[in-house]
Amino acid sequence: MNDSTALLLKELRLPAFVRHYQSLWETATEKGWSHTQYLATLCEYEISDRYQRRTQKWIREAQLAGGKTFTEFNDDGLNRETKAQLARLKQDASWAEHADNVLLIGPSGTGKTHIASALVHQLIEHGIRCKLFPAIALVQLLQQAKRDLDLMAAMTKLDKYRVIVIDDIGYVKKTDAETQVLFEFIAHRYESGSLIITANQPFGSWDKIFPDSMMTVAAIDRLIHHATIIELEGESYRKKQQLEKATNTKTEHA
């Protein structure tokens, strides 16, 4: 083993090999490994290294809010059915491979964005590329593409993300220009890529998002055709956290 080996491994873009080949060779010699065992172990290091780098890159790319994972999520306020739905989504990521959707419906502060971000974290760890968009930001992106006569190319570019989160869809302004591109995007993703959508309004109020009743029905029909619909109820999750912090502070100073 010499410097030329390290240079060759760098040229082949095998950074884990570069870091470990010398120390691992000493271990292999000491333990009497075959060349095949030595090479296989180096490959395991390289695969693990690539997985970690890809996962970190995709999490940064997804633009998730920090700390919004299932580890940090308190599900005490969820009912049994909702907990069971989340458990199924967490245990089996095949829904994303099948272009199924997840719709998170409920009042502000009940944990919809947290759950969406946590699902994305888990999907990325399973090798599924995802992206989170505030609904208004996505619509602005699509509107600009439409003005540039490039809408289809923009939507196709987003196909690299197996799962796209549209966060707070209810904040989209009720204008023909905005709702038209949003509807076109939903239609484009239908049965080809998964959407996770968070909304404060139940489906019966989505006519506030889409001004045309036929467009509203068509959009909902596409979204719910292959979907897990999770309805969150109860007090604001953020409000409960604030009350808990205030109570703990009072206890500490009592």
Side-chain angles (χ1 to χ4, degrees):
M1 300 287 182
N2 50 44
D3 292 339
S4 64
T5 303
L7 290 172
L8 289 169
L9 293 173
K10 285 181 181 179
E11 186 67 23
L12 290 169
R13 298 181 181 180
L14 298 169
F17 274 51
V18 174
R19 290 197 303 272
H20 299 292
Y21 80 95
Q22 288 181 313
S23 60
L24 198 60
W25 178 254
E26 293 172 4
T27 300
T29 302
E30 179 183 334
K31 296 187 176 181
W33 289 358
S34 66
H35 288 88
T36 302
Q37 286 176 294
Y38 169 67
L39 180 59
T41 305
L42 270 178
C43 289
E44 288 172 2
Y45 276 115
E46 188 65 41
I47 290 170
S48 176
D49 183 74
R50 290 186 182 188
Y51 167 79
Q52 294 295 334
R53 284 188 284 117
R54 183 194 67 193
T55 299
Q56 291 168 7
K57 177 185 175 183
W58 284 5
I59 286 176
R60 289 194 302 271
E61 179 186 56
Q63 295 189 322
L64 305 174
K68 292 189 182 296
T69 64
F70 281 119
T71 303
E72 302 297 324
F73 183 68
N74 183 354
D75 66 356
D76 290 346
L78 302 182
N79 60 44
R80 184 180 300 177
E81 180 184 354
T82 300
K83 288 182 180 180
Q85 288 175 303
L86 287 178
R88 287 193 293 271
L89 292 172
K90 289 160 61 177
Q91 290 167 6
D92 184 3
S94 63
W95 61 271
E97 299 291 354
H98 298 152
D100 292 352
N101 301 321
V102 176
L103 309 179
L104 298 159
I105 314 293
S108 178
T110 49
K112 300 183 300 296
T113 301
H114 193 139
I115 292 171
S117 296
L119 284 171
V120 167
H121 264 283
Q122 189 153 324
L123 289 169
I124 289 174
E125 289 175 356
H126 283 85
I128 297 172
R129 200 172 182 183
C130 308
K131 177 78 169 177
L132 185 149
F133 286 98
I136 294 174
L138 176 62
V139 165
Q140 289 173 343
L141 173 69
L142 297 174
Q143 278 186 305
Q144 184 59 53
K146 189 166 187 175
R147 285 192 291 268
D148 295 340
L149 304 179
D150 207 25
L151 180 59
M152 182 54 67
M155 292 193 297
T156 302
K157 186 176 180 180
L158 293 175
D159 287 345
K160 66 184 177 183
Y161 301 110
R162 193 71 192 144
V163 177
I164 288 180
V165 179
I166 304 178
D167 194 27
D168 285 327
I169 195 172
Y171 288 122
V172 174
K173 296 177 183 177
K174 188 175 178 178
T175 66
D176 288 343
E178 290 197 355
T179 53
Q180 183 63 41
V181 292
L182 180 59
F183 176 78
E184 288 185 52
F185 183 69
I186 290 170
H188 175 78
R189 295 286 293 187
Y190 178 58
E191 294 189 328
S192 66
S194 293
L195 293 172
I196 299 175
I197 292 181
T198 72
N200 294 341
Q201 305 91 340
F203 293 126
S205 301
W206 278 35
D207 56 348
K208 296 177 182 178
I209 303 171
F210 300 97
D212 182 280
S213 60
M214 291 182 65
M215 188 182 291
T216 303
V217 171
I220 293 173
D221 183 61
R222 284 166 172 78
L223 290 173
I224 68 174
H225 186 202
H226 306 287
T228 297
I229 302 172
I230 298 177
E231 298 185 36
L232 298 164
E233 303 173 347
E235 191 178 359
S236 167
Y237 183 70
R238 288 189 290 269
K239 183 179 178 181
K240 283 192 289 185
Q241 284 185 318
Q242 291 173 344
L243 289 173
E244 287 173 5
K245 287 180 182 178
T247 300
N248 291 336
T249 301
K250 288 180 181 179
T251 302
E252 289 172 1
H253 291 86

